[in-house]
Structure formats: C-alpha cells, structure tokens
Amino acid sequence: MVRLTAPRVMMLLTAALLLTYGSVAAPAPAPRGGDGVPPDQLAKAEPGVVVTSGAPTTATAALAMPPRTAPELFPPAGKTFIGVMTAQGPYDFTAVDRFTTAAKRQPQVMLFSSGWATDRFDRTVFDRVRERGMLPMLGWEPWDYRVDTAARKKKISARRIDQIRSAQPAYRLSRIAGGDFDGYLRSWAEGIRSLGYPVAIRFAHEMNGDWYPWCELTNRNRPGDYVRAWRHVHDVFREAGATNVTWVWSANVRWSRSTPKLSAYYPGDAYVDWLGVTGYYGTGAFSAYRSFDAIFKKTIAEMRTLSRKPVVITETGASDATGRKAEWIRETFRVLPRYPDIIGLIWFEVNKELDWRIVSSAAASKAFAQAVAASRYHLTWSPDMVPRTEVGGG
C-alpha cells in the first residue's frame, strides 16, 4: 500500500487539475471544411468576454458589456420648448431675466443673430447661453446689417428700407455657393465643432420674402441659388466634422397667394433637421386680429408636403395695437397642442417698430405665464441631450 505523504498528495491534485483543464478549457482543434479559418484568426472578443471555440456566447457577452441607454431627446416626447430672442442676445441677459420673471418659466432655447460682415466665431457667446441652461440657436445672416441700421436712421418708409438692405452684391447667393466665403465658413464650423455640445443654426431665414440680400427675389439672385448656397454651407460644416449642428430651415409665413411656393427653397431632408416658420400678429397683412391658425396653419400644411421634420415657430410675437395681445397669447397656447409636430416656440421679446414683448403689459405677462404653466412646457435642456429630428417616438 502506497503511503500518501503530503508531497504525493500535492502531486496527485496537480495532475488532476491539469487533466481537467486539458479536457474542458483547452481550445478545440481548428475546424476543417467550410471556411477553414482556425480559431486564432477569428474576430477577437471584447475584453472580459469568455471565448469558447473562438467566439463569445450571447450570455457571456451580455454579462461583460453593460447595456447602453439611448440619450435623452430634446424636447422629450409630448413636450414643447419655449425659446426667447432679445435685442442684446447673449451680450446682456437683462431682457431674458425679465422675460423669465414674467413668464415664470425658464426658456430652454435662445435665438440670437450674427452677421457675416462684422462677426467672427466667439466661443464665449455660445458658452454664456449654455451656462444659462439654454440651447444656443444661431441666426446666421450673410449680409452687412449696418446697411439696415443706416437706412433706419433716415426715417424713410419700411418698404424703402427693405429695398436698400436687400441690395448687397457682395453677399449674392451665387458667391456663397461658389466658395467665395469658404474660409469664413470653415472658421465657424471648426469653432462650433470644438464646443462639444449641440448648437442649432438658423441660416438665411425668411428666404421666401424680398427684404434680405439672400432672398431669391432680390440682389440679382437666380432661381435655385438659395438651395445651392444652403447645401454648400451645410457641406462645409460636414467636411469640418461639425456634426453637433441642428440645421433650422426657417421660412416666413405666406401672407398671400402671390408669394413664392416654399418648394422652390427647400434643400431636402438630408440638409435640414428642423422646419422653422416666422409669423407675427399685429403687422403688415396681419394688422387686424388674426388667430394663430389664420397666420400659421396654411404655411405649416404646405411645409408638410415637403417634409415630416419637426416644426419650430422660430419667431413670433403680438402687438397690442388693438388691445388684444393677451387674448392672442391665450388663444395661441390653447390651439398649440393641436399641432403635435410643433416642438418649440420662440418669442420675439423685442420692442422694435412695435412692442412685441410679453413684459409690455401686466395682462400680456399674466396670459403668457398662465399658458406656459401647462405640463407640456415643463422641461429642461442640458448639453447631454440630443435634439429631436423626427416627429413622435420616445
């Protein structure tokens, strides 16, 4: 009888462990036939995934890789954001603070303008808006706005001002599409890419009018020039890797049948993320009282023949010329839920030509605050959120 000493016991246990490893964990022989690829040439497993016969099992892969949660969309399903535009924009938040106090609601988006003739990319402008908990929306305007400022000082008619400011050959659409501004475009694209958080760009808005140099009806622009210019700007940003941009195509409401159809100006869904529309109660064709439906409904319906992208009211406001401003605000927010594809409304909080601000009267402030107290407007924006680019869904 063999005496089991301690060394012999250890030898037997070691041998048993080696036999077990050889029969269970040792790699199987390389398969022959079929593709004939040996296991050491198969795709490597993710770190931490146990590999059996050269491939991870579903169970082990699930254990090793934690599930990824989808980023939260802005705005969330069933919600509508409130935005604001002021005269001073990110350079002075006094008007924003007054708007917030009157509305009793923090706006989630801030629209501000920048003209090509004078402005260069400045990160601090965007960071100020972000730090206030608002998505920056850049109203990017290819013109020299000083022409407009000078014309207004002459105390001439509004129509004459439109004619003067729209004649700026240096900013003709064909020059934009032809690459004359590519260096400028790239500087902004690289700057916005470096921000690392979402930014919306409303480029060359109200293109279906005749009061800006980028409108096809002015400045010796030709049919098709607007779409070519838009696509070129978009492509420069894409080539620069500025994928954090939400592109906002923003038309003016059609005020008569004589105005151009929107289809002539739409660049296509591959180049647009949000459909924008501008309309006001209390000016021009809408001087007499007209409801939100009367101002916006037909234009939004026309947009729907072009795209199913989400809609944003990119500028709106109401005057109190006939004493019905508060009434218009109440009615607007009462019908807004009937447009489930409208994901946001930006209020023009400026006293310009007419006083569009909600702080213009206690009645207007109260009406606005009561309207946006509804749960559909209760939301926040954060840089981690992803702008919603499809209607519906979670």
Side-chain angles (χ1 to χ4, degrees), residues 6-20:
R8 285 178 177 154
V9 170
M10 291 300 296
M11 289 175 64
L12 290 170
L13 289 174
T14 301
L17 288 171
L18 289 171
L19 287 170
T20 302

Side-chain angles (χ1 to χ4, degrees), residues 234-297:
H234 182 281
D235 288 346
V236 170
F237 272 69
R238 182 178 57 191
E239 291 164 5
T243 57
N244 55 324
V245 174
T246 300
W247 292 95
V248 186
W249 178 81
S250 181
N252 198 79
V253 290
R254 291 186 65 188
W255 57 94
S256 74
R257 293 182 179 179
S258 64
T259 55
K261 292 183 178 180
L262 299 179
S263 57
Y265 308 117
Y266 189 60
D269 280 1
Y271 295 87
V272 173
D273 298 303
W274 290 351
L275 306 175
V277 58
T278 294
Y280 290 81
Y281 152 59
T283 184
F286 307 126
S287 295
Y289 187 84
R290 297 191 71 182
S291 67
F292 179 91
D293 278 342
I295 296 171
F296 288 96
K297 189 174 183 178

Side-chain angles (χ1 to χ4, degrees), residues 88-371:
Q88 298 300 318
Y91 300 99
D92 184 345
F93 286 96
T94 302
V96 177
D97 292 338
R98 290 173 178 167
F99 175 88
T100 302
T101 299
K104 300 179 181 179
R105 176 75 74 198
Q106 161 74 34
Q108 300 92 32
V109 173
M110 184 174 191
L111 171 63
F112 59 95
S113 298
S114 177
W116 286 19
T118 57
D119 297 336
R120 300 296 179 264
F121 176 78
D122 180 0
R123 180 190 180 105
T124 60
V125 174
F126 294 87
D127 285 346
R128 287 173 192 152
V129 179
R130 180 207 62 186
E131 289 162 4
R132 287 267 181 151
M134 296 181 288
L135 168 71
M137 182 183 290
L138 171 67
W140 213 24
E141 303 174 355
W143 70 329
D144 187 345
Y145 71 85
R146 294 170 297 187
V147 174
D148 176 74
T149 303
R152 291 179 184 278
K153 290 180 179 179
K154 295 179 180 180
K155 306 295 184 181
I156 55 181
S157 69
R159 190 59 189 150
R160 180 58 184 150
I161 292 173
D162 289 346
Q163 294 169 348
I164 292 172
R165 69 180 181 184
S166 64
Q168 299 191 33
Y171 297 96
R172 198 163 285 151
L173 290 169
S174 59
R175 296 197 67 214
I176 299 173
D180 291 1
F181 294 92
D182 280 7
Y184 183 76
L185 297 178
R186 278 192 294 270
S187 70
W188 278 81
E190 292 165 359
I192 288 176
R193 181 194 63 198
S194 72
L195 294 174
Y197 54 81
V199 170
I201 294 181
R202 184 182 71 155
F203 169 67
H205 64 295
E206 299 172 17
M207 77 301 291
N208 56 325
D210 62 359
W211 45 84
Y212 289 124
W214 56 81
C215 297
E216 282 192 2
L217 301 179
T218 64
N219 208 23
R220 296 180 64 185
N221 293 318
R222 299 168 299 176
D225 279 351
Y226 183 83
V227 168
R228 284 187 285 270
W230 178 287
R231 290 178 177 176
H232 182 77
V233 172
H234 182 281
D235 288 346
V236 170
F237 272 69
R238 182 178 57 191
E239 291 164 5
T243 57
N244 55 324
V245 174
T246 300
W247 292 95
V248 186
W249 178 81
S250 181
N252 198 79
V253 290
R254 291 186 65 188
W255 57 94
S256 74
R257 293 182 179 179
S258 64
T259 55
K261 292 183 178 180
L262 299 179
S263 57
Y265 308 117
Y266 189 60
D269 280 1
Y271 295 87
V272 173
D273 298 303
W274 290 351
L275 306 175
V277 58
T278 294
Y280 290 81
Y281 152 59
T283 184
F286 307 126
S287 295
Y289 187 84
R290 297 191 71 182
S291 67
F292 179 91
D293 278 342
I295 296 171
F296 288 96
K297 189 174 183 178
K298 288 184 179 180
T299 303
I300 293 175
E302 184 177 351
M303 286 181 167
R304 278 289 162 254
T305 66
L306 306 174
S307 174
R308 295 299 304 171
K309 293 288 185 177
V311 175
V312 175
I313 306 300
T314 43
E315 279 185 51
T316 196
S319 81
D320 218 357
T322 59
R324 302 181 70 178
K325 182 172 186 173
E327 177 186 352
W328 192 87
I329 292 171
R330 285 192 296 270
E331 183 181 29
T332 291
F333 282 94
R334 187 165 55 247
V335 304
L336 206 57
R338 301 176 193 169
Y339 297 82
D341 47 355
I342 293 180
I343 64 169
L345 180 147
I346 300 174
W347 192 268
F348 190 66
E349 189 69 1
V350 179
N351 184 0
K352 177 185 176 183
E353 298 154 351
L354 295 170
D355 194 345
W356 309 104
R357 300 172 302 163
I358 66 168
V359 299
S360 64
S361 71
S365 295
K366 181 180 180 180
F368 197 93
Q370 289 177 338

Side-chain angles (χ1 to χ4, degrees), residues 45-67:
E46 294 289 337
V49 177
V50 177
V51 179
T52 303
S53 299
T57 65
T58 303
T60 55
L63 289 172
M65 300 294 291

